[in-house]
Amino acid sequence: MKDQSRKRHLAKTITWRIVGTLDTILLSWLITGNPWTGLKIGLAEVITKMVLYYFHERVWFKINLSKKGIVRESRKRHIAKTFTWRGVGTLDTMLLSWLVTGNPLTGLKIGLSELLTKMILYYLHERVWYRIDFGLKSRAN
């Protein structure tokens, strides 16, 4: 199960990063009015967010195993993961936006604007992945 779960978490990391980066690019462009700034911020976060997301997935996997080694899933778990990931992701976006634009207020605006869009997108991403068995030997119902 260990190797399979790592493959699953890697696949989830990649798919979420695609969705998340596109959202960041669009929001950054809208807030700064400059598509190149949006692109710079979006591309800057690809690596940091993939690393952070992978470790977030590993932590949640380890704290949510039943005694039989079967992953327990629920809407409450997805909501909790959404909020914890959004906290980590927003801080990362704020810092990167500040570094790219040189303006802490712009970093704050971009980070805060992501709160709603990213939480909705992340929750939907979790629900889709919950229905996919890739990387799972068994699932608790």
Side-chain angles (χ1 to χ4, degrees), residues 7-31:
K7 288 177 187 175
R8 178 179 179 82
H9 297 154
L10 185 58
K12 281 181 73 175
T13 298
I14 292 167
T15 58
W16 171 245
R17 191 66 265 134
I18 291 167
V19 171
T21 297
L22 291 173
D23 184 57
T24 298
I25 291 169
L26 180 60
L27 290 172
S28 298
W29 175 6
L30 292 173
I31 288 169

Side-chain angles (χ1 to χ4, degrees), residues 4 8 128-139:
Q4 289 297 315
R8 178 179 179 82
V128 167
W129 270 96
Y130 177 65
R131 297 186 186 286
I132 298 170
D133 289 335
F134 177 79
L136 297 176
K137 287 187 179 180
S138 61
R139 179 192 308 266

Side-chain angles (χ1 to χ4, degrees), residues 47-100:
I47 299 299
T48 59
K49 289 285 194 327
M50 285 182 76
V51 170
L52 291 169
Y53 184 86
Y54 178 81
F55 286 114
H56 184 261
E57 279 296 306
R58 296 304 300 161
V59 167
W60 272 95
F61 181 75
K62 290 181 185 284
I63 64 173
N64 203 39
L65 287 177
S66 70
K67 293 178 183 176
K68 295 179 184 177
I70 299 171
V71 176
R72 294 176 287 150
E73 301 281 346
S74 72
R75 291 187 193 276
K76 290 179 187 175
R77 177 178 183 271
H78 296 153
I79 290 170
K81 281 181 70 178
T82 298
F83 279 95
T84 58
W85 171 245
R86 195 63 257 137
V88 171
T90 296
L91 290 173
D92 184 55
T93 297
M94 285 182 190
L95 180 61
L96 289 172
S97 298
W98 177 4
L99 291 172
V100 169

